[in-house]
Amino acid sequence: MMKQTMEQSKQLIDQLEETHVLSKEAFISLINSRTPELSDYLFEKSRRIRQEHYGNDVYLRGLIEFTNYCKNDCLYCGIRRSNKNASRYRLTKEQILSCCDEGYSLGFRTFVLQGGEDSHYSDEMLLDLIREIKTCYPDCALTLSIGERSYASYKAFYEAGADRYLLRHETADPVHYSKLHPPSLTLETRKKCLMDLKNIGYQVGSGFMVGSPGQTSAQLAEDLLFLHELQPQMVGIGPFIAHHDTPFALEESGTAELTLFLLGLIRLMLPTALLPATTALGTIDPLGREKGILAGANVVMPNLSPREVRDKYLLYDNKICTGDEAAECRQCIDGRISSIGYQVVVDRGDSKLGGKKNV
Ligand code: 5AD
Ligand code: FES
């Protein structure tokens, strides 16, 4: 494919801002022809659009990593079933509620229950937990991030009070999907789960890893087109980072630079999306989260898990916020966000687009 001139690339960015979508070929050529100058051009626009919808506000989500047991064996993930070196833990209902309690007093108004696919937590246990959290904190949003479950389970969780669901599609190319996952997991099932979640009424978050092994620009273009089709309220993207106890131990990590460029494109494509500056982005670059906000992101997800389990929920190597420095992620985040002229707000932080519950 011919390389675009800078002028042509800028025109494509203008077009994306106007029409909110581009052809696959146009996305590919934008990704391939990116330069620092083009990124700056993109980020000026993505920041302005973010500003129009969300001002200088940055929303907080308190991440509670409640189990690192997982029945799946994704090739990239440090808590995959085959990793015999992972030290496994599960939080009790009381431990989870005390995370919420601490989080609430720190100003968190969204709790994200995230974990591996762990059948120890039956639907009944989760329903009880969801009801309890929503009863104790009626002014808070509750997000689930617990992988693939049946339509009936998703519906029951929603009816018990869960508001949002995070389930990344990881890659929208079925062949690439099968290189990152065991045969038991398929892109088709993942997409069906996302459609189910949307139809039930959740505010849905999807997303993908940037720079995962074997990923091409054409696949990234497919990821963008899939997001355009799904129209999720939230999109989480972060660089792939190798974990030493996985089959991908020696694979190269993704870059902050490409992650930021894609964040900018996603902001133009989905102007009201909730876009986290992810922990993986902050891991690959010490200022990654700040740069993410400046590229159009508007959410940060500090860790609310109990200190003693934080260094066990390791999806990838060198994860930040797992040691002594994480004594108070909330303060750390506040400082980082205000240093770049934005402010963390005490708010549920719903999408301006809304799910059925919040329109
Ligand atoms: N590097 C970066 N991100 C990862 N995730 C899982 N393993 C890794 C890794 N090695 C991401 C996946 C998953 C989310 C919870 O974490 O995209 O959906
Ligand atoms: Fe956790 Fe900075 S956000 S230590």
Side-chain angles (χ1 to χ4, degrees):
M1 187 170 306
M2 273 228 326
K3 242 187 140 98
Q4 301 270 320
T5 64
M6 178 63 64
E7 251 349 277
Q8 288 170 322
S9 296
K10 287 184 178 173
Q11 276 168 17
L12 286 179
I13 288 177
D14 295 346
Q15 192 187 331
L16 178 61
E17 181 185 12
E18 249 170 66
T19 62
H20 307 299
V21 71
L22 294 174
S23 67
K24 181 171 173 182
E25 290 63 39
F27 275 132
I28 295 173
S29 73
L30 261 184
I31 293 168
N32 288 342
S33 63
R34 68 190 195 282
T35 59
E37 181 186 340
L38 188 67
S39 296
D40 285 344
Y41 184 79
L42 170 64
F43 299 156
E44 259 173 51
K45 284 186 189 286
S46 55
R47 263 202 304 274
R48 184 170 41 67
I49 292 167
R50 173 240 198 269
Q51 193 82 24
E52 278 166 20
H53 295 286
Y54 294 98
N56 282 333
D57 290 354
V58 172
Y59 296 142
L60 278 183
R61 278 72 170 102
L63 194 59
I64 304 171
E65 300 156 334
F66 69 98
T67 171
N68 71 351
Y69 281 83
C70 190
K71 68 166 196 260
N72 290 332
D73 219 13
C74 304
L75 279 80
Y76 47 82
C77 185
I79 64 168
R80 66 201 301 267
R81 177 184 68 206
S82 310
N83 182 8
K84 300 289 178 263
N85 294 328
S87 143
R88 306 284 172 174
Y89 72 89
R90 291 185 174 112
L91 299 186
T92 62
K93 178 180 173 187
E94 289 65 38
Q95 283 175 305
I96 296 171
L97 288 168
S98 92
C99 292
C100 296
D101 203 48
E102 188 185 341
Y104 193 88
S105 43
L106 288 167
F108 288 87
R109 295 297 178 267
T110 289
F111 303 119
V112 182
L113 291 181
Q114 185 174 90
E117 290 196 18
D118 180 0
S119 48
H120 168 85
Y121 296 89
S122 62
D123 280 9
E124 290 64 37
M125 281 168 77
L126 288 166
L127 288 169
D128 174 59
L129 185 61
I130 293 165
R131 289 195 191 101
E132 184 85 17
I133 294 176
K134 291 296 287 192
T135 307
C136 296
Y137 308 98
D139 55 335
C140 291
L142 180 58
T143 305
L144 301 179
S145 179
I146 53 174
E148 298 182 353
R149 296 232 172 188
S150 68
Y151 182 91
S153 302
Y154 285 157
K155 191 160 168 54
F157 299 152
Y158 184 77
E159 283 167 358
D163 304 280
R164 308 186 184 133
Y165 205 102
L166 304 181
L167 182 67
R168 292 187 180 177
H169 66 277
E170 311 295 358
T171 171
D173 172 356
V175 175
H176 189 219
Y177 196 94
S178 70
K179 295 192 171 134
L180 303 181
H181 298 97
S184 55
L185 296 176
T186 65
L187 180 60
E188 204 188 338
T189 309
R190 184 59 57 106
K191 285 185 173 178
K192 177 173 184 300
C193 287
L194 285 164
M195 290 317 297
D196 287 350
L197 291 162
K198 258 207 120 176
N199 289 335
I200 289 167
Y202 285 97
Q203 294 181 25
V204 171
S206 195
F208 55 91
M209 286 180 292
V210 178
S212 58
Q215 188 178 60
T216 62
S217 319
Q219 289 160 349
L220 287 170
E222 285 294 347
D223 287 323
L224 296 174
L225 289 170
F226 173 68
L227 290 174
H228 184 261
E229 186 189 322
L230 181 69
Q231 292 284 318
Q233 281 83 6
M234 302 164 282
V235 179
I237 68 167
F240 159 77
I241 303 172
H243 184 289
H244 61 279
D245 280 323
T246 64
F248 290 161
L250 299 178
E251 298 287 340
E252 241 178 78
S253 294
T255 64
E257 183 270 326
L258 180 53
T259 306
L260 294 167
F261 190 78
L262 291 162
L263 268 176
L265 294 181
I266 294 169
R267 172 59 69 208
L268 264 50
M269 190 171 74
L270 302 169
T272 59
L274 295 158
L275 294 181
T278 54
T279 305
L281 184 56
T283 297
I284 205 79
D285 179 333
L287 291 177
R289 286 170 297 178
E290 291 86 332
K291 292 176 186 171
I293 300 290
L294 293 169
N298 60 338
V299 172
V300 278
M301 303 176 67
N303 203 318
L304 268 186
S305 310
R307 242 69 79 194
E308 60 279 12
V309 303
R310 282 192 195 177
D311 61 353
K312 298 189 169 71
Y313 197 85
L314 297 181
L315 310 185
Y316 46 81
D317 288 342
N318 304 315
K319 185 182 175 200
I320 53 171
C321 303
T322 56
D324 294 340
E325 86 286 1
E328 212 33 271
C329 281
R330 173 64 213 267
Q331 257 72 59
C332 169
I333 285 288
D334 256 5
R336 286 171 179 269
I337 299 304
S338 48
S339 78
I340 52 168
Y342 289 77
Q343 78 220 4
V344 169
V345 293
V346 176
D347 192 288
R348 275 172 54 116
D350 286 300
S351 157
K352 302 288 181 195
L353 190 65
K356 277 188 199 159
K357 275 187 183 174
N358 298 296
V359 280

